[in-house]
Amino acid sequence: MIDLDHIRVFLAVAEQRSFVAAARQLSMTAPTVTRAVSALEEELGVQLLLRTTRQVSLTSAGAVYAARIAPLLEAFRRTTEDLQEQQGDVAGTIRINAPMSLGQQVLPDVVAGFRSQYPRVSLSIGLTDRFIDIVAGDVDLAIRISEAPRDKSTIWRKICRVRRVMVASPAYLALRGAPQTPEDLSAHACLAYDERSQAETWDLRRDGRTRRVRAGTTIAGNNGDLLARLAENGEGIALLPLFIVEEGLAQGRLAQVLPDCEAPEIWLTLYYPPYERLPMRVARFSDFFEAYVTQTRPL
């Protein structure tokens, strides 16, 4: 009988191309990982990996085995979790992808609270500020902050609007002067927040009129915390979600610019693959997350 744990260990080594990295990923010791792979090779009667002092690589048989067994093992995992949930047992793994700033500032408390209620659920969390292919990326749930969703191939759930503000350091405003109108921004360094780190256009509404401002001609970045720190350092004016800069505003490291101007709405949204039925563990996490960001710590 083939041991499924040995297969899981082999797949981790195949993915990482390293026994040490696989051991770190699996929270095991390297010798334990080595013994598990050796036991699987003995059970199959086939060498799956080539080991040298410098690297680990798959044999041709190992590559074929990994390619065929990985989706079967994943289907086995999901089927087991679905069966458990049908019996009312909220368990299994949720693969989550979230923006970097939100993940660092908000998710730790969400995860702690959720795990205290559902200790049999494990979480695999990846952080990135770019949009991902949720289906190809094998993700159960993606959290995004963006304009209203347009993607029709996934299921999405709008949670709440996310307020944005323009900010700059007091030192920058003292040196360059505080803008009084949106037109004044053309004489300032406006920092762009773009997933591809490219220049962007701010559509700012004031007194019923919309003005367009070009940002990112000097600095553009794809991470809100980075741009907030750059603004604190006097590099220019940034348009960012309030939750990223509220501490800097409260402590005086940042000051709000043109508070009567409104930028287009952005939303905190949950994206799902095209499930026929949302897994219970994913539904419970979604509800917990929504309650946290709308009641416990409103964004």
Side-chain angles (χ1 to χ4, degrees):
M1 180 69 68
I2 301 296
D3 191 322
L4 290 180
D5 287 336
H6 293 169
I7 296 176
R8 293 188 183 96
V9 171
F10 160 69
L11 290 175
V13 176
E15 177 187 358
Q16 299 290 333
R17 294 294 196 271
S18 165
F19 285 92
V20 174
R24 190 181 305 115
Q25 176 184 318
L26 298 169
S27 299
M28 300 170 66
T29 65
T32 302
V33 169
T34 301
R35 286 194 296 269
V37 173
S38 297
L40 178 62
E41 289 177 323
E42 184 175 345
E43 291 165 346
L44 295 172
V46 175
Q47 184 176 359
L48 301 173
L49 296 170
L50 295 173
R51 300 118 161 126
T52 69
T53 55
R54 294 185 177 181
Q55 64 179 4
V56 176
S57 60
L58 290 163
T59 64
S60 56
V64 170
Y65 188 70
R68 293 184 178 179
I69 204 67
L72 295 177
L73 195 64
E74 177 63 15
F76 174 81
R77 181 189 68 81
R78 290 185 179 275
T79 301
T80 301
E81 291 175 352
D82 288 345
L83 183 61
Q84 290 173 327
E85 292 189 346
Q86 288 174 17
Q87 305 305 313
D89 184 8
V90 182
T93 301
I94 307 174
R95 292 176 170 82
I96 300 170
N97 186 274
M100 191 74 67
S101 298
L102 185 87
Q104 293 175 332
Q105 296 190 31
V106 177
L107 277 187
D109 290 339
V110 173
V111 168
F114 180 77
R115 287 269 301 145
S116 68
Q117 291 189 25
Y118 303 101
R120 287 176 53 76
V121 176
S122 58
L123 303 172
S124 174
I125 303 171
L127 302 181
T128 177
D129 284 331
R130 63 177 177 82
F131 276 89
I132 64 166
D133 184 333
I134 192 171
V135 177
D138 191 25
V139 173
D140 299 305
L141 166 66
I143 304 169
R144 281 292 167 265
I145 297 175
S146 65
E147 295 182 0
R150 300 184 183 91
D151 188 356
K152 305 300 182 183
S153 64
T154 59
I155 303 169
W156 48 267
R157 171 179 174 181
K158 291 169 74 172
I159 301 298
C160 62
R161 280 179 288 200
V162 178
R163 183 185 172 194
R164 286 190 290 178
V165 295
M166 281 184 287
V167 296
S169 72
Y172 173 90
L173 296 175
L175 179 66
R176 300 286 296 272
Q180 301 301 309
T181 69
E183 288 79 9
D184 292 344
L185 292 171
S186 62
H188 287 266
C190 295
L191 313 179
Y193 184 9
D194 180 81
E195 64 171 302
R196 295 163 296 178
S197 300
Q198 297 179 354
E200 63 172 344
T201 299
W202 297 347
D203 290 321
L204 303 175
R205 189 167 182 80
R206 185 191 199 195
D207 299 329
R209 292 180 53 201
T210 299
R211 285 85 161 180
R212 310 201 81 188
V213 176
R214 192 66 173 163
T217 56
T218 56
I219 297 177
N222 68 348
N223 177 260
D225 286 316
L226 167 66
L227 292 169
R229 299 295 86 76
L230 289 170
E232 289 181 7
N233 291 342
E235 293 295 337
I237 299 172
L239 174 62
L240 294 168
L242 178 60
F243 77 87
I244 294 178
V245 298
E246 59 186 349
E247 182 178 314
L249 288 168
Q251 296 180 357
R253 301 193 305 271
L254 292 169
Q256 192 169 350
V257 175
L258 295 174
D260 56 346
C261 283
E262 295 182 359
E265 289 183 349
I266 57 174
W267 285 80
L268 179 63
T269 307
L270 302 184
Y271 286 82
Y272 310 99
Y275 290 117
E276 292 183 5
R277 176 181 60 84
L278 196 63
M280 187 185 300
R281 61 190 179 280
V282 177
R284 293 287 174 83
F285 181 87
S286 299
D287 292 341
F288 188 93
F289 177 80
E290 179 173 5
Y292 184 87
V293 298
T294 58
Q295 300 172 27
T296 304
R297 185 186 174 179
L299 297 184

